[in-house]
């Protein structure tokens, strides 16, 4: 049986890319019975008499799946943040990073509008970049105007499913337009006209950009820690997780516990203070969360 990848889901049809061909498929009735919903990004087994009359027979195991947007097997999230207009926010970036880490997706931090930054702001961004790179996150400083950093970004897209995420106005669309000008994305809109207008059906689609596939969706629409428990947060900060192995108490939350290696690392400037402050803020937010019934 042929295999392929779902690259679009619309009105009960799944469009499967297989050996360069796009096959329109429906899901088997047994999927509904077993509460299996094929998602864009799924690797599937299908059968088809022609390009418009296929059936998905099997959905392969997923390495991850997101609810908003509904997509599976995401390889990486490209977190787009501007150096200015709007101002770079480590708090918002760390919030995105926690959600990405929790979903076991590789993050890439992409800072835009470097051409608009003053010399002091450029120096500040380079300092932040060095700190995040020390954690293990790749950082690319870019400009859609000068095309600086675009050549660095392209290899990350190759042969991967990527989700671009970031707040409105940071230049996601401008960035994608530089990589693939024929998309002609409108400013402040990350998706093409394929399904994001007021009177069109909303759907998720993977579009070919830079030798890879990019979800035409604004990425995470919810930035709340709905599923993350207090004890999980430690693992969403790689540098905290690493140092916490030296804490005296197992299950240390790095707040008021004695002989906490994380607090000691912060005091010694081995962990940026702002990262630790965000960890504490997020932990409090999780603890204050109302239980769901």
């Amino acid at each position: 049986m042929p295999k392929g990848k779902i690259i679009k889901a619309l009105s009960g049809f799944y469009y499967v890319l297989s050996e360069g061909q796009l096959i329109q498929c429906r899901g088997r009735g047994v999927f509904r019975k077993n509460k299996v919903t094929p998602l864009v990004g799924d690797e599937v087994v299908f059968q088809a008499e022609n390009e418009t009359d296929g059936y998905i027979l099997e959905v392969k195991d997923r390495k991850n799946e997101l609810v908003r947007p509904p997509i599976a097997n995401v390889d990486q999230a490209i977190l787009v943040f501007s150096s200015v207009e709007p101002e770079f926010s480590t708090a918002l970036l760390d919030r995105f990073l926690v959600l990405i880490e929790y979903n076991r997706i590789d993050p890439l931090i992409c800072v835009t509008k470097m051409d608009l930054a003053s010399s002091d702001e450029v120096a500040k961004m380079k300092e932040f970049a060095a700190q995040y790179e020390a954690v293990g996150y790749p950082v690319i400083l870019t400009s859609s105007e000068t095309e600086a950093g675009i050549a660095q970004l392209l290899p990350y897209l190759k042969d991967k499913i990527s989700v671009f995420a970031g707040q409105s106005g940071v230049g996601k669309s401008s960035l994608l337009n530089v990589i693939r000008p024929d998309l002609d994305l409108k400013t402040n809109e990350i998706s093409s006209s394929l399904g994001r207008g007021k009177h069109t059906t909303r759907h998720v689609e993977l579009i070919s950009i830079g030798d890879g596939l990019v979800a035409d969706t604004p990425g995470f629409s919810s930035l709340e820690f709905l599923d993350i428990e207090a004890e999980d947060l430690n693992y969403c900060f790689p540098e905290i997780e690493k140092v916490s192995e030296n804490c005296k108490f197992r299950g240390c939350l790095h707040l008021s516990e004695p002989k906490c290696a994380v607090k000691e690392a912060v005091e010694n400037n081995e962990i940026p203070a702002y990262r630790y402050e965000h960890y504490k803020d997020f932990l409090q937010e999780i603890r204050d969360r109302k239980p769901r019934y």
Side-chain angles (χ1 to χ4, degrees):
M1 289 291 181
K3 299 176 182 178
K5 185 194 301 287
I6 298 176
I7 65 164
K8 180 167 73 168
L10 178 64
S11 302
F13 288 101
Y14 302 98
Y15 296 83
V16 179
L17 184 64
S18 177
E19 298 183 351
Q21 279 190 307
L22 197 61
I23 314 296
Q24 178 179 286
C25 296
R26 288 187 178 275
R28 292 176 65 194
V30 71
F31 288 155
R32 196 177 299 110
K33 179 182 176 183
N34 295 336
K35 297 184 178 178
V36 173
T37 302
L39 295 176
V40 168
D42 271 334
E43 300 286 345
V44 298
V45 177
F46 68 97
Q47 66 178 25
E49 297 295 326
N50 52 58
E51 292 185 4
T52 59
D53 190 21
Y55 281 88
I56 294 173
L57 304 178
E58 180 187 353
V59 175
K60 296 291 188 181
D61 290 342
R62 298 164 179 158
K63 66 178 181 181
N64 57 47
E65 67 178 90
L66 302 178
V67 177
R68 292 183 294 270
I71 185 171
N73 299 318
V74 177
D75 294 307
Q76 67 182 351
I78 298 173
L79 305 180
V80 185
F81 280 72
S82 54
S83 57
V84 293
E85 301 176 14
E87 185 180 354
F88 183 78
S89 166
T90 57
L92 186 58
L93 174 56
D94 286 346
R95 182 173 285 270
F96 270 103
L97 285 169
V98 165
L99 290 166
I100 297 297
E101 289 281 0
Y102 184 74
N103 284 283
R104 297 181 180 179
I105 297 170
D106 291 334
L108 167 65
I109 300 168
C110 181
V111 181
T112 60
K113 303 186 184 180
M114 290 301 294
D115 58 297
L116 299 180
S118 67
S119 57
D120 286 346
E121 288 164 337
V122 168
K124 188 177 179 181
M125 287 314 312
K126 287 182 175 178
E127 184 179 344
F128 279 132
Q131 290 169 346
Y132 280 98
E133 285 173 339
V135 174
Y137 298 129
V139 182
I140 299 177
L141 306 180
T142 71
S143 165
S144 297
E145 290 297 317
T146 68
E147 299 192 11
I150 301 301
Q152 285 177 271
L153 177 60
L154 286 174
Y156 284 95
L157 298 178
K158 185 176 174 61
D159 300 327
K160 292 181 179 177
I161 293 179
S162 304
V163 172
F164 276 66
Q167 66 188 122
S168 178
V170 295
K172 298 186 293 288
S173 299
S174 299
L175 198 63
L176 290 172
N177 280 336
V178 172
I179 299 170
R180 189 177 149 185
D182 65 296
L183 285 176
D184 193 26
L185 305 184
K186 295 178 182 178
T187 305
N188 292 333
E189 287 184 14
I190 193 170
S191 81
S192 63
S193 59
L194 294 169
R196 307 303 299 186
K198 280 186 179 178
H199 305 294
T200 54
T201 305
R202 283 177 169 268
H203 70 282
V204 178
E205 179 167 356
L206 294 175
I207 48 180
S208 177
I209 297 178
D211 294 326
L213 295 170
V214 174
D216 90 326
T217 151
F220 293 78
S221 57
S222 172
L223 290 175
E224 297 176 18
F225 305 131
L226 298 177
D227 300 311
I228 302 176
E229 300 300 333
E231 56 270 20
D232 296 329
L233 190 61
N234 184 75
Y235 305 110
C236 298
F237 284 78
E239 73 275 46
I240 290 179
E241 180 189 11
K242 183 179 179 181
V243 172
S244 67
E245 295 173 359
N246 299 319
C247 290
K248 181 179 180 181
F249 296 102
R250 180 180 292 183
C252 180
L253 290 177
H254 324 304
L255 297 175
S256 56
E257 299 91 337
K259 296 188 178 179
C260 171
V262 170
K263 288 190 291 181
E264 186 177 325
V266 174
E267 290 168 5
N268 295 335
N269 295 319
E270 294 165 13
I271 293 176
Y274 64 85
R275 288 273 291 171
Y276 176 61
E277 290 302 317
H278 297 157
Y279 166 83
K280 290 196 297 182
D281 290 344
F282 298 163
L283 188 62
Q284 189 61 51
E285 184 177 328
I286 291 168
R287 286 175 150 183
D288 290 344
R289 185 178 62 205
K290 292 180 181 179
R292 288 181 291 174
Y293 298 104

